[in-house]
Amino acid sequence: MAKKLTARAGANIALVKYWGKRDAALNLPAAGSLSITLSGLETVTTIERAPGLQVDEFRLDGTPQDAAPVGRILDLIGSQDRVRCRIDSRNNFPTGAGLASSASGYAALVVVADALFERGLERRELSQIARRGSGSAARSLYGGFCRLHAGRSDQGEDCYAEGLYDPDHWPLEVVVAITDRGPKAVSSRDGMNRTMRTSPYYPAWVETVDADLAEAEAAVARRDFDMLAEVAESSALKMHASALAARPGLLYWNPATVACIQAVGRLRGQGTGVFFTMDAGPQVKAVCLPGHAEKVAAHLAEVPGVSRVIRTGLGPAAGLL
Ligand code: PMV
């Protein structure tokens, strides 16, 4: 029985967004989503059995944190009376700035906990447990292109992530433009709850997701970049429109976010294979056709207010190190 194990998982970016839950306690999404898993932005998590401890200890990037949320996930994989653990998690990218560190974090956690507690759970089950930590985390269990099925059942047995294609199916590249280094103003959890409760556009948002998913999945299957660009940009803008219409309204963007969106539009107009997407934060993720990322990164780095650009590609499934 291992005393200490380590796993890694890549962040993921939704091309058809998840925004809203059908069950808050189980963290069941109101609609499905489709994402790409990244290679360069990752979480590495080590868990060590610590029988001497009364409570779990959790450090994120070296800083002690409340271990309760992480402990609840360990309870679901081990058991309530499992051994207490020391959990050390490190991101190689800024935490809490709209770069989905919770996704790679919970995905790495469930993989390493499954191995440490010798459960041998199926990926599908691990995706369901990761989802309890953060909805988008279910998708980081898989590499390349991934779909999260919303399901209908009350307990969520039919809500799980499914790997669609490995990265070599279509090795898209991603440029992340960092427009703000601070933590986000309103977490995605609070933002989507407020949108659900108060936005008149929320029902319309949920109603359109299935059609977007079908279109995006077909675009990925055919490697049709223009088709994927159109549906992904629409999904991102619709998600933000539903949030803007909440009370009080949620505006996650800053002037540099808008400038990046416009720069991406200009580049595509000139024939560069690129489209934008944004999550619950001000960073812009530019998804590029293979071979186009260098030009896109050079352009976005020049946009006023962009402090840094990160270039990455599609990455593998979460796994043990
Ligand atoms: O997984 P959460 O609860 O952080 O929600 C993620 C929500 C978005 O990032 C905005 C969209 C998505 O599908 O990843």
Side-chain angles (χ1 to χ4, degrees), residues 21-310:
K21 303 176 203 285
R22 63 186 174 86
D23 184 302
L26 292 173
N27 225 8
L28 293 170
S33 51
L34 188 146
S35 60
I36 46 177
T37 297
L38 305 180
S39 57
L41 310 179
E42 63 175 30
T43 303
V44 173
T45 298
T46 299
I47 309 188
E48 182 182 3
R49 296 170 186 276
L53 292 183
Q54 294 296 311
V55 290
D56 297 316
E57 277 180 16
F58 173 45
R59 281 171 183 267
L60 181 58
D61 292 328
T63 307
Q65 310 278 330
D66 175 14
V70 162
R72 279 194 286 276
I73 299 297
L74 297 189
D75 292 348
L76 291 171
I77 295 176
S79 67
Q80 300 266 6
D81 56 7
R82 64 178 168 78
V83 63
R84 296 305 105 182
C85 296
R86 216 169 262 126
I87 304 120
D88 182 78
S89 200
R90 285 172 198 274
N91 295 324
N92 69 350
F93 57 96
T95 299
L99 289 178
S101 60
S102 63
S104 48
Y106 281 108
L109 183 76
V110 298
V111 167
V112 68
D114 176 62
L116 193 80
F117 299 131
E118 298 179 334
R119 290 294 313 278
L121 297 174
E122 302 281 335
R123 276 279 136 158
R124 179 184 286 212
E125 275 176 274
L126 290 177
S127 81
Q128 293 177 313
I129 298 171
R131 185 206 73 230
R132 299 281 289 270
S134 151
S136 55
R139 301 186 309 237
S140 276
L141 266 303
Y142 294 91
F145 297 82
C146 178
R147 177 153 175 186
L148 178 62
H149 297 278
R152 289 164 177 270
S153 89
D154 289 347
Q155 291 307 308
E157 297 89 342
D158 53 357
C159 173
Y160 59 90
E162 179 191 9
L164 296 176
Y165 300 98
D166 289 336
D168 58 8
H169 168 71
W170 198 14
L172 298 175
E173 296 179 66
V174 176
V175 176
V176 182
I178 306 289
T179 65
D180 185 350
R181 288 181 168 276
K184 56 186 142 190
V186 182
S187 70
S188 42
R189 187 176 297 250
D190 293 345
M192 67 178 81
N193 285 342
R194 190 190 301 173
T195 304
M196 282 166 61
R197 273 189 291 109
T198 65
S199 173
Y201 298 168
Y202 180 70
W205 153 255
V206 173
E207 264 168 40
T208 60
V209 177
D210 277 349
D212 287 352
L213 282 168
E215 200 177 327
E217 208 173 315
V220 171
R222 288 183 227 157
R223 302 185 192 89
D224 184 332
F225 194 79
D226 288 339
M227 186 179 178
L228 186 62
E230 194 177 306
V231 66
E233 289 186 349
S234 168
S235 177
L237 292 174
K238 265 191 292 186
M239 177 202 119
H240 283 275
S242 73
L244 280 166
R247 279 198 182 194
L250 292 152
L251 176 57
Y252 284 108
W253 305 350
N254 60 34
T257 312
V258 177
C260 287
I261 292 170
Q262 290 174 325
V264 165
R266 278 194 299 275
L267 283 167
R268 192 150 89 251
Q270 295 157 9
T272 305
V274 60
F275 64 82
F276 62 78
T277 185
M278 295 82 52
D279 295 299
Q283 329 302 5
V284 175
K285 291 101 180 202
V287 180
C288 310
L289 267 176
H292 292 223
E294 190 173 339
K295 182 174 181 189
V296 171
H299 270 77
L300 293 183
E302 293 303 316
V303 171
V306 172
S307 58
R308 185 183 165 196
V309 294
I310 302 172

